[in-house]
Amino acid sequence: VMTKEVLTAHPEASVVSAVDMMLGERIGCLPVVEDGALVGMLCETDCLRYLSRLIHSEEERRSLE
């Protein structure tokens, strides 16, 4: 079931704002739209990959201290 009003994100939107929108609206994917044209999709898996990179980067930084 889809709604008539589709929530979208702009390509320059922050990851935090996109994730907050996805969580708040309980949606798993968010179309990325620029000038009325679809330019991508942000999905839960993309967000998890980003989180994983952040965690690994932080762990690496701590191991160098």
Side-chain angles (χ1 to χ4, degrees), residues 12-24:
E12 294 184 25
S14 72
V15 173
V16 172
S17 66
V19 168
D20 285 347
M21 187 183 313
M22 291 169 69
L23 289 171

Side-chain angles (χ1 to χ4, degrees), residues 17-34:
S17 66
V19 168
D20 285 347
M21 187 183 313
M22 291 169 69
L23 289 171
E25 298 297 325
R26 300 180 61 162
I27 55 176
C29 278
L30 189 60
V32 180
V33 176
E34 185 172 28

